Amino acid sequence: MSGGVPRASNRARRILRGPRAEAVPALIGRACALVGLLDIAAGVFPRFRHSRMHAIAEALPGSFGPFAAALSLSAGVLLLLLAHGLKRRKRRAWRAAVVLLPAGAVAEFVYRHSLLGVLISVALLVPLLRHRTEFGALPDPRSRWRALANFVLMSAGSLVLGLVIVSVHPDRTLGDPSLADRLTHVVYGLFGFEGPVDYQGSTSWTVAFSLGALGWLTAVTTSYLAFRPEHPAARLTEEDEARLRDLLDRHGRRDSLGHFALRRDKAVVFSPSGKAAVTYRVVSGVMLASGDPIGDVEAWPGAIERFMDEAKAHSWTPAVMGCSETGGEVWTRETGLDALELGDEAVVDVADFSLAGRAMRNVRQMVKRIERAGYETRVRRVRDLSDGELERVRLAAEDWRGTDNERGFSMALGRIGDPADGDCLIATAHKQDDTPGPYGDLKAILHFVPWGDDGVSLDLMRRDRLADPGMNELLIVAALQAAPKLGVARISLNFAMFRSALARGEKIGAGPVLRAWRGLLVFLSRWFQIESLYKFNAKFQPRWEPRFVVYRASADLPRIGFAAMQAEGFVDLALPLPRFLRRRRNAAARPCAHRSHEHGVRAA
């Protein structure tokens, strides 16, 4: 199938920088971190000047000692903070390092009388200037939590480093201050006040200036991150969404994940012809695309090239989560990236589905039992629900979410009931109770997004925790049985990570390596529900469609995996909002929560 896809220009390959080109910024970044540590050590430890490294040339009297110690400490901390930006070729990090290295060299020479310290800084400054063209990457999208995170981390680091500064002068300390006294002295010093610890001679000034420098760094870096010029996080504009919907109308049946490209917290790049597009989100420096490119396969290479250009411009790590086999072939061929099978998507063909037979016995019995308990089901298009019922569905989906944070990215739409999504399907379970709950007789919800004009893809599953077990099986069967009347010929269910390993590892003849791998997956299923999700999917006798992750290098996989877990909502580095604020925000924005239920989530 990939033979019909034309090759893009070689530019898409060239934008993946070779190992040698990538090595220069990486080496400079590591060297910057080393120089930063040396500057910090020079500013903190009073005996550091007597080490062999700093005993080469002691010629000047340290008359500006307290100021130089604070400058050395400040330059070292900032260089450490800039090291990661230099590794990612950030232009702003380069500019700051060019200023800080001479400042650190001056502090080394004035305070520690170290000629070697000066030479080390100059030795790093020379390649930094020589390879300045390597550092042209644009800034990352802003996060409202970045300033707060910086304040928390810098404050914690300043407290620890300040405690070291206060404690490394035992010969000049007056009395025997307790740990509480030292911590109090650190806190006072960070705000520029004298604390309870006293020192002989000029040491008190050195400690005071060093602590003041740490407090100043915390305040300045936090203020900078809070008030720096805006470079907004990517959002799907109304024009972009309209163009994507047009592409999906013409080519949407190719990929079951296509409609999820309409998440409004994604950005998009289009091919030069406008006939194809790639949607993505940037998480922790990783440019995450999901599913296959949208649109005409013939135009995919152009959209992929634009995607890779954007990754290069910002020095982001490119990655694709959950693409199909065809998508993986095109991505790897056009860019030189590698692909790894991530798992399988369960797809049920409506014409082949039946509750008859031994294989469907458990599902059949469960559905019959729930129906005898008085439950009934309804399967409708979103546009056919009344405003009042749709509002109850929205509120119930929010209230029944099993986690505090929303989950989903690659296989979740992120909203429910939007007027533009009238073709989505909603399957609901109902039961009349003597004491109706806040949502009436509503007990469970399944939400499906369109997959072309003859398919749907499962988006979320929610149920009342007081409802009988088996609500999800009941609604999936109801959706499959109602599908012919709604013009639906295929339904995509959950995505099962590492399904083939789980399936092959339990068969007779499986080797020790495969059995060990399956055992590890079963163990991890205690937290990530890998095995239970696979077994749940297998109940409906689906056909399995492999899905792949596309990546640049094996060393990037841990970073990509962590970024994917952040995007999917399994890892949340931001401080969560209080529950009542989340509800107020959701009431205004009406986002749809991704499913989190007793069988796991679609996006793993």
Side-chain angles (χ1 to χ4, degrees):
M1 187 169 184
S2 59
V5 183
R7 289 183 179 273
S9 67
N10 290 329
R11 186 182 178 195
R13 292 182 182 274
R14 290 198 303 270
I15 60 180
L16 281 173
R17 306 174 63 84
R20 293 183 180 179
E22 288 287 351
V24 172
L27 288 175
I28 290 178
R30 295 188 186 100
C32 180
L34 177 61
V35 173
L37 289 173
L38 292 175
D39 286 346
I40 292 173
V44 171
F45 299 103
R47 296 185 179 276
F48 194 64
R49 74 164 93 185
H50 300 301
S51 67
R52 294 181 179 179
M53 180 178 295
H54 289 272
I56 295 179
E58 294 189 359
L60 295 180
S63 58
F64 297 98
F67 300 97
L71 178 60
S72 179
L73 183 65
S74 301
V77 172
L78 290 175
L79 286 173
L80 275 179
L81 295 176
L82 293 171
H84 181 65
L86 289 174
K87 291 179 181 180
R88 296 183 57 207
R89 303 184 297 108
K90 294 298 183 180
R91 186 66 177 176
R92 292 182 178 178
W94 179 88
R95 291 171 179 169
V98 168
V99 174
L100 286 171
L101 283 172
V106 170
E108 288 272 6
F109 193 62
V110 173
Y111 182 51
R112 296 303 180 191
H113 318 315
S114 174
L115 180 61
L116 185 58
V118 174
L119 294 177
I120 291 175
S121 296
V122 172
L124 176 57
L125 184 61
V126 170
L128 200 62
L129 294 172
R130 180 181 177 184
H131 296 283
R132 58 184 178 275
T133 56
E134 295 287 338
F135 300 90
L138 300 175
D140 290 345
R142 301 289 183 252
S143 170
R144 63 174 180 168
W145 298 103
R146 186 72 180 273
L148 180 59
N150 178 83
F151 176 76
V152 173
L153 294 176
M154 285 291 293
S155 297
S158 296
L159 284 173
V160 174
L161 191 55
L163 188 60
V164 174
I165 293 172
V166 171
S167 303
V168 294
H169 304 275
D171 296 338
R172 294 181 175 270
T173 304
L174 299 178
D176 186 19
S178 64
L179 178 61
D181 291 334
R182 295 176 184 179
L183 284 174
T184 302
H185 193 87
V186 172
V187 174
Y188 276 50
L190 292 177
F191 288 94
F193 300 105
E194 286 290 335
V197 181
D198 292 324
Y199 301 91
Q200 297 175 356
S202 62
T203 302
S204 60
W205 288 101
T206 301
V207 172
F209 277 104
S210 298
L211 293 177
L214 289 175
W216 176 82
L217 282 178
T218 301
V220 170
T221 54
T222 301
S223 299
Y224 168 75
L225 293 173
F227 299 108
R228 60 181 170 173
E230 183 68 14
H231 185 74
R235 290 292 184 271
L236 204 64
T237 67
E238 291 183 3
E239 180 183 356
D240 291 337
E241 185 174 337
R243 295 177 65 184
L244 286 173
R245 288 186 183 277
D246 181 60
L247 292 177
L248 288 170
D249 288 341
R250 288 180 285 169
H251 307 282
R253 75 183 315 272
R254 178 176 294 280
D255 185 15
S256 64
L257 275 59
H259 199 85
F260 299 125
L262 298 176
R263 282 183 65 102
R264 288 164 186 160
D265 57 358
K266 290 183 178 181
V268 61
V269 289
F270 289 91
S271 65
S273 65
K275 295 181 179 180
V278 175
T279 59
Y280 66 91
R281 187 198 296 175
V282 179
V283 182
S284 298
V286 178
M287 191 176 182
L288 279 176
S290 58
D292 292 344
I294 306 300
D296 189 353
V297 179
E298 299 290 328
W300 282 8
I304 290 172
E305 183 176 338
R306 289 282 179 86
F307 176 89
M308 300 301 291
D309 281 338
E310 192 76 4
K312 176 188 175 183
H314 293 83
S315 191
W316 292 330
T317 299
V320 185
M321 299 295 298
C323 66
S324 68
E325 188 170 2
T326 300
E329 289 176 357
V330 177
W331 273 100
T332 56
R333 191 184 66 196
E334 298 301 324
T335 64
L337 298 173
D338 290 324
L340 179 68
E341 186 172 342
L342 188 61
D344 294 270
E345 176 187 13
V347 178
V348 179
D349 294 312
V350 173
D352 298 333
F353 177 77
S354 173
L355 284 176
R358 183 178 180 84
M360 298 299 296
R361 179 182 177 183
N362 290 337
V363 175
R364 182 173 63 250
Q365 291 178 343
M366 179 175 291
V367 170
K368 294 298 184 183
R369 177 180 59 80
I370 297 174
E371 289 177 342
R372 287 194 299 269
Y375 288 89
E376 63 177 30
T377 59
R378 303 167 192 168
V379 183
R380 293 157 291 173
R381 298 283 183 182
V382 167
R383 59 173 173 264
D384 296 329
L385 272 71
S386 66
D387 293 340
E389 187 170 8
L390 191 56
E391 180 68 11
R392 286 195 298 273
V393 168
R394 286 170 176 158
L395 294 175
E398 165 66 18
D399 190 39
W400 295 342
R401 188 175 67 228
T403 56
D404 287 336
N405 59 314
E406 299 285 359
R407 286 186 174 177
F409 165 67
S410 56
M411 299 179 183
L413 185 59
R415 60 183 181 269
I416 189 170
D418 191 286
D421 300 321
D423 287 338
C424 292
L425 284 184
I426 288 185
T428 53
H430 305 263
K431 182 182 180 182
Q432 296 292 339
D433 293 326
D434 296 335
T435 56
Y439 311 111
D441 62 351
L442 184 63
K443 300 300 180 182
I445 304 164
L446 261 64
H447 185 254
F448 300 84
V449 300
W451 174 12
D453 56 2
D454 64 346
V456 292
S457 185
L458 186 56
D459 175 31
L460 67 84
M461 305 173 80
R462 293 286 159 78
R463 71 177 182 90
D464 187 343
R465 292 171 179 80
L466 299 178
D468 293 321
M471 290 292 102
N472 298 320
E473 289 88 339
L474 172 69
L475 289 180
I476 288 177
V477 170
L480 286 165
Q481 292 175 339
K485 297 180 180 179
L486 296 169
V488 175
R490 51 191 177 157
I491 295 181
S492 170
L493 300 179
N494 293 303
F495 170 75
M497 287 188 66
F498 309 115
R499 181 208 64 88
S500 59
L502 290 169
R504 295 197 305 267
E506 62 184 356
K507 291 183 178 179
I508 296 177
V513 175
L514 186 56
R515 288 185 178 275
W517 174 227
R518 181 184 180 277
L520 177 61
L521 293 176
V522 172
F523 175 75
L524 294 175
S525 295
R526 299 179 180 180
W527 297 276
F528 297 102
Q529 300 175 330
I530 299 173
E531 184 185 31
S532 59
L533 190 57
Y534 155 59
K535 290 184 175 180
F536 175 76
N537 293 335
K539 291 180 180 180
F540 303 96
Q541 302 299 306
R543 56 182 170 89
W544 299 101
E545 297 290 341
R547 290 282 174 174
F548 299 84
V549 56
V550 178
Y551 60 97
R552 179 171 55 186
S554 298
D556 292 335
L557 284 175
R559 184 180 179 188
I560 293 171
F562 186 73
M565 293 182 70
Q566 286 181 260
E568 298 288 355
F570 289 97
V571 176
D572 188 9
L573 300 182
L575 296 178
L577 291 173
R579 183 79 177 182
F580 75 94
L581 289 179
R582 286 199 303 272
R583 289 191 176 185
R584 184 178 301 174
R585 179 194 63 187
N586 292 334
R590 293 303 178 205
C592 161
H594 183 60
R595 65 175 173 272
S596 174
H597 54 94
E598 71 268 27
H599 294 292
V601 294
R602 177 181 177 88

